[in-house]
Amino acid sequence: MAEYNKLSEVTYNPKIRSWRFRVQLHRIYHYAITNHGPYYNYILADEDGYKMEMTTDGDYPNFRCLEKEKGRWVEIFVVEVERTYPCFQPTSSPFILNASRCTQVRIIEPLNSLLFLDFKSIH
């Protein structure tokens, strides 16, 4: 079974870009529409309930139609970590995830995920 990072374990190190997360898309909203397409903010929650924000800049092919998948569990690979600015923050995390063109997102099917079944049986 693959090892995943927890959102609570995230630290800022510009040299590390190999973060792997298994998270739920808690909330999705778009904040701008430009010539490059819509910009989205994703509020992610892991199995411990820790929440963090992720932004996507532009219409990346890996994120198409993902805004309709609110509440689904996803795997996210190769995402950058940045510090948040002292302004409105939807989460209490001091860090924010920034998706790029090389960021990969895959929806986890609940029937094939043992972690999802274990997590659901606890509740």
Side-chain angles (χ1 to χ4, degrees):
M1 186 170 172
E3 290 291 323
Y4 294 96
N5 301 111
K6 302 234 184 220
L7 293 176
S8 58
E9 299 172 348
V10 171
T11 59
Y12 179 72
N13 186 347
K15 295 179 181 177
I16 299 176
R17 296 191 59 208
S18 60
W19 295 99
R20 295 174 64 134
F21 299 106
R22 183 184 295 230
V23 293
Q24 182 182 25
L25 298 174
H26 183 65
R27 187 181 314 155
I28 304 168
Y29 56 93
H30 64 90
Y31 62 93
I33 297 177
T34 64
N35 294 342
H36 300 287
Y39 285 49
Y40 287 96
N41 277 3
Y42 296 88
I43 306 299
L44 309 173
D46 63 5
E47 58 267 6
D48 294 336
Y50 195 86
K51 295 178 184 167
M52 189 174 288
E53 182 181 5
M54 181 179 73
T55 60
T56 61
D57 298 335
D59 192 20
Y60 296 148
N62 295 341
F63 288 90
R64 285 199 183 114
C65 300
L66 197 62
E67 67 274 3
K68 300 174 186 170
E69 302 294 338
K70 180 180 170 185
R72 299 284 300 265
W73 286 87
V74 295
E75 292 176 325
I76 299 174
F77 305 101
V78 190
V79 64
E80 297 176 8
V81 175
E82 297 178 359
R83 291 192 170 115
T84 57
Y85 297 107
C87 60
F88 172 75
Q89 297 175 0
T91 63
S92 60
S93 174
F95 305 107
I96 188 171
L97 302 176
N98 190 9
S100 62
R101 288 203 181 275
C102 59
T103 301
Q104 298 177 11
V105 178
R106 186 174 62 193
I107 296 174
I108 301 171
E109 294 298 328
L111 297 177
N112 296 334
S113 174
L114 296 176
L115 177 68
F116 181 85
L117 292 174
D118 291 340
F119 180 68
K120 191 171 182 179
S121 67
I122 292 171
H123 296 298

